[in-house]
Amino acid sequence: MENISVSIVVPVCNVENYLKECMDSILNQSLQNIEIICVDDGSTDHSLSILRSYEKKDKRVKVITKANSGYGNTMNVGMEQAKGKYIGIVESDDYIDSKMFERLYDTAETYEADIVKSDHYIFSTKNGKNKSQYQWVCPLEYYNRVLNAEICPEIYTFTMMNWTGIYRTDFVKSNQIKHNETPGASFQDNGFWYQVISLAKKIVFINEAFYYYRQDNPNSSINNKKKVYCICDEYKFMTDFLNSHTELGEEYHKRFFEKKFFNYMNSYKRIADEYKLEFLETIRDEFQTDLKDPLLKTGAIDPWVYKQVNRIIDSPKLFYIENELWEYREEYDRVHEKLMKIRNSEEFKKGIRIKKILGMKM
């Protein structure tokens, strides 16, 4: 194939239950001039045989096999093979709307953009039916504008998802942008996202959703509560990138630190309870080191973030206890609110009246 518009990289590992839905949605794209690079990361189920069947019936499908080495290496292998003007990503347990890559490609060409990203849906399947919810990538005032991190540093607070967009191939390759390749790790999309957002000169967001992001795959890394320090490994990778780009000044360092804090707190909430205190003690040491960064001006950090970071530094154990008490209080308030709604409902009052009439004990 020549003059390929978009190379779509599909990382695959033991997703036989979802793979056909994913592949059918890609092959059904209205943008026909695409290549589909499926990289099988040592699957032990029927995923590879499913890929081979698609490879036989559509010449746009290219299957690469390798020993299991993790998501980061899988994505790098796929992107290295990309021949299209842009690179797209579709996770193999998700699926996409038929217009996705046509709309992204047309927008990228119109704006001569390095990156174009869209909104998406989160969904889960129950009793054979998909239930989806719309997710915005950014506030409305930022759509359909040419942005970058230098003129719009708040871009670091936008939704991170890499697979809602396309990336100009020569931009990715000329900047040597790669995924972290820590074997067996998770969250390796974070580092790729941070690099492209930091280095791109033209980023455009469009207020349309095409991508359906699955929430109910039990094998997804987000559901693995034992992967405690993968996020720390990823932020070490991102820190090395930031420190190697001396042109990225104080505002970049501030935004990086704030993003790191919020992502660490999301991981703290996600991991199993028995790991929480140990995790806090680890990130306490990291935060102490971070605050010594000469390009990180503590007076510029969001005051609430700075306060929480210092709470962790002062006493991880006290932070843990106070946080757990707050969580219990929140849960109590939620349950109490539901109880009061039930007790004040007409159905409940009617039940009380019937019990009184029947002479039943309350």
Side-chain angles (χ1 to χ4, degrees), residues 30-280:
S30 56
L31 182 67
Q32 292 289 302
N33 192 25
I34 58 176
E35 65 172 350
I36 304 152
I37 304 170
C38 304
V39 186
D40 182 73
D41 187 30
S43 292
T44 56
D45 63 0
H46 294 98
S47 293
L48 181 56
S49 61
I50 293 171
L51 292 177
R52 291 298 188 198
S53 69
Y54 280 97
E55 187 178 38
K56 287 179 181 178
K57 67 183 180 182
D58 196 311
K59 64 181 181 181
R60 298 175 299 173
V61 178
K62 177 181 181 179
V63 177
I64 301 172
T65 62
K66 63 181 184 66
N68 181 266
S69 56
Y71 181 86
N73 176 256
T74 300
M75 288 302 304
N76 288 340
V77 167
M79 288 187 170
E80 285 169 6
Q81 296 296 316
K83 296 181 175 64
K85 187 171 183 179
Y86 300 91
I87 296 173
I89 304 165
V90 180
E91 303 287 348
S92 49
D93 55 351
D94 302 333
Y95 69 94
I96 57 176
D97 183 270
S98 62
K99 294 286 186 182
M100 176 171 172
F101 286 108
E102 180 182 9
R103 286 288 297 117
L104 295 177
Y105 176 79
D106 287 347
T107 303
E109 290 291 277
T110 297
Y111 289 96
E112 298 182 339
D114 298 318
I115 303 170
V116 175
K117 299 184 78 173
S118 65
D119 300 335
H120 69 282
Y121 296 96
I122 57 174
F123 82 99
S124 56
T125 304
K126 188 174 182 180
N127 299 323
K129 294 183 179 180
N130 289 347
K131 183 178 180 181
S132 61
Q133 182 179 345
Y134 196 100
Q135 303 284 298
W136 286 265
V137 67
C138 62
L140 286 173
E141 62 266 28
Y142 295 100
Y143 287 108
N144 302 309
R145 295 168 53 189
V146 176
L147 304 172
N148 60 49
E150 184 175 2
I151 65 172
C152 179
E154 57 268 32
I155 203 169
Y156 288 110
T157 67
F158 298 173
T159 302
M160 190 194 73
M161 312 308 188
N162 294 327
W163 27 252
T164 65
I166 59 173
Y167 308 85
R168 189 162 51 79
T169 305
D170 61 3
F171 157 70
V172 172
K173 293 187 176 182
S174 65
N175 284 287
Q176 299 181 323
I177 296 172
K178 294 183 179 296
H179 290 73
N180 189 14
E181 293 194 1
T182 307
S186 300
F187 310 110
Q188 293 177 329
D189 50 354
N190 283 252
F192 179 82
W193 168 84
Y194 185 69
Q195 292 174 82
V196 296
I197 291 296
S198 297
L199 298 180
K201 301 302 182 185
K202 290 185 176 182
I203 307 172
V204 178
F205 300 95
I206 59 175
N207 191 200
E208 301 173 61
F210 311 101
Y211 195 101
Y212 290 79
Y213 173 40
R214 184 179 297 277
Q215 302 290 289
D216 56 357
N217 181 357
N219 296 320
S220 174
S221 62
I222 197 171
N223 296 317
N224 190 337
K225 293 182 180 294
K226 291 186 178 181
K227 289 196 171 185
V228 180
Y229 296 109
C230 290
I231 191 67
C232 301
D233 294 336
E234 192 65 9
Y235 267 86
K236 172 63 168 61
F237 174 74
M238 294 159 69
T239 299
D240 290 344
F241 162 80
L242 179 62
N243 291 338
S244 69
H245 284 268
T246 55
E247 77 276 12
L248 302 179
E250 293 178 4
E251 185 65 29
Y252 289 82
H253 285 249
K254 161 187 142 58
R255 296 286 179 171
F256 176 79
F257 181 76
E258 292 174 353
K259 188 73 173 179
K260 177 178 180 176
F261 168 77
F262 284 115
N263 279 354
Y264 274 21
M265 289 299 97
N266 285 336
S267 282
Y268 172 75
K269 292 177 183 178
R270 179 189 61 81
I271 61 178
D273 288 342
E274 60 263 35
Y275 304 120
K276 287 184 182 293
L277 181 55
E278 181 184 314
F279 180 77
L280 287 171

